[in-house]
Amino acid sequence: MRARVLCEVLLLLALLVLLPVTSIASVRSPGGAGTELIRDDFPLDFIFGSGTSAYQVEGAAAEDGRTPSVWDTGAHAGKVANGSTADITCDGYHKYKDDIKLMKELGLKGYRFSISWSRLIPKGRGDVNPKGLQFYNDFINELIGNGIQPHVTLFHYDLPQALEDEYQGWLSPKIVDDFTAYADVCFKEFGDRVSYWTTLNEPNFLALAGYDTGIFPPFRCSSRFGRNCSIGDSTLEPYIVGYHCILAHAEVATLYRRKYQVIQKGFIGLNVFVYHFTSLTNSTRDVAAAQRAYDFYTGWFVNPLVNGDYPSTMKERTGNKMPSFSVYQSEYIKGSFDFLGVNHYATVWVSDVSSDNSSTYERDFGFDMSVKLTVFGMQGMLEHFKNVYGNPPIYIHENGYSTPQNSSLEDTPRVEYLKMNIGSLLDAVRNGSNARGYFTWSFLDVFELNDGYQSSFGLYHVDFEDKELTRRPKLSARWYSHFLKGGHNNIVSVSVSNNSNPSEALA
């Protein structure tokens, strides 16, 4: 497909990756993905887990002092996810003990989750909500008591609506101080038990989806570029948001290192949504196009953390539209991470279709590229980080496969997808990648940000039509459990019963 604006195309591709599909058409990734997989092939300290996020799993949207986030507001206005809301979703707020029991039975060693800023600090700043504090303390204690390592994300899209109303959230430099104060509360209250902290989830996608195409809250965009936005500037605002995200991350990382890390002995990092971009051909133009895609989509956030500044390609193409870092800021942000979290779902093949009039477009990249999608590429993505960014420690925070909600529990395509990607991950580790963990998306079927309850990524099916929200394991849950417990997983033919007792089904 021809892409006039790659950011729009990549958002579309993200939606395609995250929407229901029914098969993987016998595609295999290289090396280990087509062979037998054994947990013991990975280093002993390599962490395997799964994850969800607060807004998507907790429910209890108006209970115990929680106030709305921008996602609550958008959902209730009918602007997202086909008009559905996450007011109840999986009711993880009340069912967390049963869910953690399932995690233990599954064999998870780690669980990635986020904290709802507006549940912990309802006004976005100021007083801490004691019931929110108690919930997260209880949740973390329950995880640890069941031998599961908590990996906490501080911000997963759900900005308190109060801060959006007051000063337009991530568009304002005020967000840096408020986010840092919120993080300080989390480190102080939970850091004695949490060793892995991620500041922001997918700030690259936040900037593009929220401020370029306007498909996510706060729904800002230029009308000629986005979807039904009433306000915004797609050519400027994504860069402003990205700038504030980077500064906020660095401020929080500095706080953690200065005040908590020596005592708590934990680690802090940033998460990015990452495709593996590869050139469709070996031509010089296609190779350059693939590099531009990496620079604008990944390097935008990773390059400042590694090298102290944006990629040169971005700076040349954006000119004065992109806020620049001062010499002090450049040194401040450089090295402000102990690890990088990566959400990876697919490979994008890129070809150059530029012409002499490319400079007439208002966008800075994408109009000169054509792209197509495949579902494997884990090793290639990790090789990019190894070769370009000095092989930093990486945790695969999200990797998963979408099927229609209420489709068969025999989710063979998801099993094939997991086999391919874990096998490709193994190839990368054997080739020297500093990858240290892998988390599936998602542990349960949850409210999906793109289409609510029409699709699912979960290892466990959740019956949203049942008032009990019954959890049932899918074939992928049994496959993953078998792998995590040391089994040989060169076959897919494991059966899953429709028994409502998950413990019995995983026995």
Side-chain angles (χ1 to χ4, degrees), residues 10-118:
L10 294 179
L11 287 171
L12 174 61
L13 290 176
L15 295 178
L16 290 174
V17 171
L18 303 178
L19 287 175
V21 285
T22 56
S23 70
I24 299 187
S26 70
V27 176
R28 291 291 184 274
S29 55
T35 61
E36 184 175 331
L37 287 174
I38 305 172
R39 165 63 183 88
D40 290 345
D41 286 334
F42 288 86
L44 186 62
D45 59 352
F46 195 94
I47 188 78
F48 280 96
S50 190
T52 59
S53 80
Y55 179 68
Q56 294 174 268
V57 77
E58 284 181 4
E63 289 187 42
D64 292 342
R66 182 186 181 277
T67 60
S69 74
V70 292
W71 269 92
D72 293 282
T73 303
H76 280 270
K79 292 185 176 182
V80 296
N82 297 304
S84 54
T85 77
D87 288 357
I88 299 174
T89 183
C90 304
D91 196 24
Y93 185 75
H94 298 109
K95 294 179 175 292
Y96 72 91
K97 289 186 178 181
D98 291 336
D99 288 338
I100 292 173
K101 181 180 178 182
L102 295 183
M103 296 177 204
K104 182 177 182 179
E105 292 165 352
L106 187 66
L108 299 186
K109 297 304 180 184
Y111 182 66
R112 179 184 177 238
F113 66 99
S114 68
I115 291 173
S116 167
W117 187 344
S118 60

Side-chain angles (χ1 to χ4, degrees), residues 369-396:
M369 300 178 191
S370 176
V371 301
K372 64 180 182 179
L373 182 74
T374 54
V375 295
F376 62 84
M378 181 78 73
Q379 182 179 7
M381 178 272 295
L382 290 170
E383 292 291 332
H384 178 83
F385 277 86
K386 183 176 72 173
N387 296 330
V388 176
Y389 297 116
N391 206 19
I394 286 181
Y395 291 85
I396 308 300

Side-chain angles (χ1 to χ4, degrees), residues 39 46-51 106-110 396 399 415 418 422 437-443 459-460 474-487 489 494 506:
R39 165 63 183 88
F46 195 94
I47 188 78
F48 280 96
S50 190
L106 187 66
L108 299 186
K109 297 304 180 184
I396 308 300
N399 182 242
V415 174
L418 295 177
I422 295 175
Y438 173 89
F439 295 76
T440 71
W441 182 268
S442 52
F443 174 61
L459 300 173
Y460 285 84
K474 303 176 186 177
L475 176 64
S476 54
R478 288 205 63 179
W479 182 90
Y480 197 41
S481 181
H482 193 59
F483 169 75
L484 295 177
K485 295 174 182 177
N489 271 319
V494 223
L506 279 174

Side-chain angles (χ1 to χ4, degrees), residues 367-437:
F367 57 82
D368 54 357
M369 300 178 191
S370 176
V371 301
K372 64 180 182 179
L373 182 74
T374 54
V375 295
F376 62 84
M378 181 78 73
Q379 182 179 7
M381 178 272 295
L382 290 170
E383 292 291 332
H384 178 83
F385 277 86
K386 183 176 72 173
N387 296 330
V388 176
Y389 297 116
N391 206 19
I394 286 181
Y395 291 85
I396 308 300
H397 275 163
E398 290 184 21
N399 182 242
Y401 188 81
S402 175
T403 55
Q405 182 59 257
N406 295 324
S407 56
S408 172
L409 295 180
E410 299 278 343
D411 58 340
T412 302
R414 182 173 290 109
V415 174
E416 293 287 0
Y417 179 91
L418 295 177
K419 286 175 63 178
M420 282 192 296
N421 281 277
I422 295 175
S424 187
L425 171 61
L426 177 58
D427 287 345
V429 170
R430 286 172 169 170
N431 201 39
S433 169
N434 201 11
R436 299 186 179 184

Side-chain angles (χ1 to χ4, degrees), residues 305-363:
L305 269 59
V306 175
N307 300 314
D309 205 354
Y310 303 113
S312 58
T313 304
M314 289 193 78
K315 295 173 68 176
E316 291 166 4
R317 291 204 167 205
T318 60
N320 61 8
K321 289 188 289 186
M322 175 171 282
S324 59
F325 299 113
S326 68
V327 174
Y328 171 78
Q329 288 173 331
S330 178
E331 289 301 315
Y332 193 70
I333 62 180
K334 184 178 180 179
S336 59
F337 68 100
D338 301 315
F339 66 85
L340 293 173
V342 169
N343 295 350
H344 172 76
Y345 290 85
T347 287
V348 175
W349 296 82
V350 182
S351 61
D352 184 278
V353 293
S354 59
S355 61
D356 292 339
N357 66 352
S358 293
S359 61
T360 64
Y361 289 98
E362 295 182 70
R363 294 303 186 92

